[in-house]
Amino acid sequence: MGDRIGDNNFPPNEILKIGGGIFLSISEQLERDKKIKQEINKIKKIFKDFPKDKTKVLEGLINEAAFMKVLLEDTRADLIKKGLTELFEQGEQSFNRERPEVKIYTTFMQRYSGVMKQLIDLLPIEVKKQEADALMEFIKKGKLK
């Protein structure tokens, strides 16, 4: 599942199931992968003056930060579109409950903030403030009301 992305024998809108029951067409997955690569490149630019051997060590954190940011943006768009709650019915009872995506979003936001803080703390002081401000702006933009 989800491993047919590079195979051109499948139509672009074939649906793939990925972890957690999320369904994406191949074109949507390719678009997400493109966004992740763009985010990786954006973060790597911040560390362009870092010694290459140290940048290699940071690669895992950079990849995770990029992945989380793209998923946060996608999840935020979903929450804006579909709302924070859903009608839950069980037998004759029905009530509004928080959508599971809210918890996922909150958890990812905390982890993304932690990973980005680790990366920012490694930067020289003059770059650190600028990147910390950008992180705070992203976090403020993503606050759920």
Side-chain angles (χ1 to χ4, degrees):
M1 289 190 196
D3 57 347
R4 294 155 71 164
I5 290 174
D7 191 336
N8 292 327
N9 295 324
F10 295 94
N13 292 325
E14 178 183 341
I15 302 298
L16 298 175
K17 182 175 181 185
I18 59 175
I22 299 170
F23 293 91
L24 295 175
S25 69
I26 291 174
S27 59
E28 289 170 325
Q29 182 62 42
L30 289 171
E31 183 63 29
R32 179 179 280 174
D33 290 347
K34 180 180 165 188
K35 287 179 185 178
I36 292 170
K37 285 178 185 160
Q38 288 172 338
E39 188 62 28
I40 287 170
N41 289 336
K42 192 167 123 182
I43 297 170
K44 280 184 175 180
K45 276 185 189 174
I46 298 166
F47 292 93
K48 70 179 184 287
D49 296 330
F50 241 56
K52 293 291 179 209
D53 57 328
K54 288 186 180 181
T55 307
K56 267 292 192 211
V57 174
L58 300 177
E59 223 167 85
L61 284 175
I62 291 170
N63 291 341
E64 287 307 307
F67 172 76
M68 286 189 276
K69 183 170 184 186
V70 170
L71 287 181
L72 278 165
E73 290 170 344
D74 290 349
T75 305
R76 181 187 313 132
D78 177 71
L79 291 171
I80 290 168
K81 182 179 175 183
K82 297 178 183 174
L84 302 177
T85 60
E86 64 187 359
L87 183 62
F88 178 73
E89 296 181 24
Q90 186 172 23
E92 292 185 21
Q93 288 184 326
S94 67
F95 54 92
N96 278 326
R97 70 173 182 183
E98 183 178 81
R99 292 180 58 219
E101 289 84 351
V102 174
K103 184 173 182 176
I104 292 168
Y105 183 83
T106 303
T107 302
F108 258 59
M109 182 59 83
Q110 290 169 343
R111 291 187 180 152
Y112 172 75
S113 299
V115 168
M116 287 305 295
K117 183 176 179 345
Q118 282 180 286
L119 288 169
I120 290 168
D121 285 348
L122 298 170
L123 293 170
I125 292 171
E126 60 275 2
V127 180
K128 190 183 289 193
K129 174 154 179 28
Q130 183 181 355
E131 293 306 320
D133 290 346
L135 174 61
M136 286 309 297
E137 193 59 37
F138 178 78
I139 291 170
K140 285 178 189 175
K141 184 172 92 173
K143 290 272 188 206
L144 297 176
K145 295 169 179 78

